[in-house]
Amino acid sequence: MPKLEPYSRKLDYSYALGLFPAHMLLDARPDRARRLLLHPDGLGSEGVEKLRRRCAELGVREEMAERVLRRESKKDNCYAGLVFEKFESALDETKCHVVLAQISDNGNVGTALRSLMGFGVTDVALIRPCVDVFDPHVLRASMGAFYKMRVHTFDTFDEYRALYPNRPLYPFMLDGAVPLDEAAQTAKPPFTLVFGNEATGLPHAFSQMGQSVLIPQSDEIDSLNLAVAVSVGTYVFMRALR
């Protein structure tokens, strides 16, 4: 088998690190799993042995790879992981979407994906320049949610909009025109929630593209963390649909 390289965008594979994310990958995309990586200290544990059995049934080769697991996870206690082929996912036009525009922090994107899955949104668009969604640290922060979602990266927001032209847009902005609760109560699915870069937010032009939304907050802070804003905004919008 070829030597496993340190992760980079150019590779056609990535790493699902940790027991729970590895099981999530096998639940959602078993055909993409290629190699099971094991740490000797994890052998015999219930979680690792279950993962080994599942991989054996699927014909996924296993190998001892302590150094690779430590290198990719930056931890000494990562006892298993999967090498998997990258894949493209088209968004479902009948579902509500979330757009993450020019997000630069791996942890923010991974945490946002985990929250979105928890609140019932499984279709997410990323707009470049942005993080590499297949970076193992994004995947780990999502705790495996990514593998059960449809995530697609677009070069520009216009490219996304051209594919989904008639959807109501709700850009979240610090000077949004309508408070969150009010906007959510009048939203008709399928809609798209749009969130911008951690430092700069969305450009002012987005206020003319749909109904801009404000998350009310105290004057003691300048803004919410991106993943927190995505979580709060999506929860309120999805709750209003019930």
Side-chain angles (χ1 to χ4, degrees), residues 16-241:
L17 301 170
L19 290 174
F20 187 73
H23 280 293
M24 291 278 278
L25 172 65
L26 293 183
D27 288 342
R29 301 187 183 265
D31 59 311
R32 295 291 171 171
R34 289 294 173 262
R35 296 161 74 170
L36 170 61
L37 309 180
L38 298 172
H39 189 298
D41 290 349
L43 297 180
S45 70
E46 181 179 352
V48 169
E49 295 308 315
K50 179 181 178 181
L51 187 60
R52 293 179 72 188
R53 290 193 296 272
R54 294 187 71 183
C55 287
E57 292 170 358
L58 292 167
V60 176
R61 166 196 163 120
E62 69 172 50
E63 57 193 82
M64 301 306 298
E66 177 181 356
R67 293 180 64 182
V68 175
L69 290 170
R70 182 183 298 113
R71 182 190 73 204
E72 298 303 324
S73 70
K74 307 296 191 293
K75 296 180 179 180
D76 292 325
N77 62 347
C78 181
Y79 296 136
L82 285 168
V83 178
F84 70 94
E85 291 182 2
K86 294 179 180 178
F87 50 86
E88 285 288 338
S89 299
L91 306 187
D92 186 336
E93 64 181 10
T94 70
K95 304 293 186 182
C96 294
H97 297 174
V98 164
V99 171
L100 303 177
Q102 302 184 353
I103 310 304
S104 61
D105 185 87
N106 288 338
N108 275 338
V109 171
T111 302
L113 293 178
R114 183 181 183 186
S115 294
L116 291 171
M117 170 65 78
F119 300 139
V121 175
T122 55
D123 293 79
V124 180
L126 273 67
I127 309 299
R128 294 187 176 97
C130 63
V131 304
D132 173 12
V133 75
F134 285 101
D135 187 293
H137 297 288
V138 175
L139 302 176
R140 186 67 183 267
S142 84
M143 285 303 292
F146 170 80
Y147 308 118
K148 294 190 174 183
M149 304 177 77
R150 291 175 289 271
V151 181
H152 193 90
T153 301
F154 296 86
D155 288 329
T156 65
F157 182 77
D158 287 343
E159 181 184 349
Y160 166 81
R161 194 61 171 152
L163 284 178
Y164 310 99
N166 300 315
R167 306 168 63 86
L169 296 179
Y170 292 90
F172 280 69
M173 310 180 75
L174 289 177
D175 59 352
V178 176
L180 173 59
D181 282 337
E182 181 180 337
Q185 289 300 322
T186 59
K188 290 181 170 43
F191 49 73
T192 297
L193 310 182
V194 188
F195 299 86
N197 175 268
E198 298 94 331
T200 60
L202 292 171
H204 180 70
F206 274 85
S207 65
Q208 307 302 314
M209 296 183 188
Q211 177 60 71
S212 62
V213 181
L214 169 70
I215 300 178
Q217 62 189 47
S218 78
D219 294 334
E220 301 302 317
I221 60 172
D222 60 350
S223 64
L224 295 172
N225 167 272
L226 171 77
V228 172
V230 172
S231 299
V232 171
T234 304
Y235 171 75
V236 172
F237 265 82
M238 299 308 289
R239 182 187 62 179
L241 298 182

Side-chain angles (χ1 to χ4, degrees), residues 5-13 15 72 86 132 135-136:
E5 299 181 36
Y7 180 77
S8 73
R9 287 178 183 262
K10 69 179 182 180
L11 296 176
D12 61 1
Y13 61 85
Y15 300 91
E72 298 303 324
K86 294 179 180 178
D132 173 12
D135 187 293

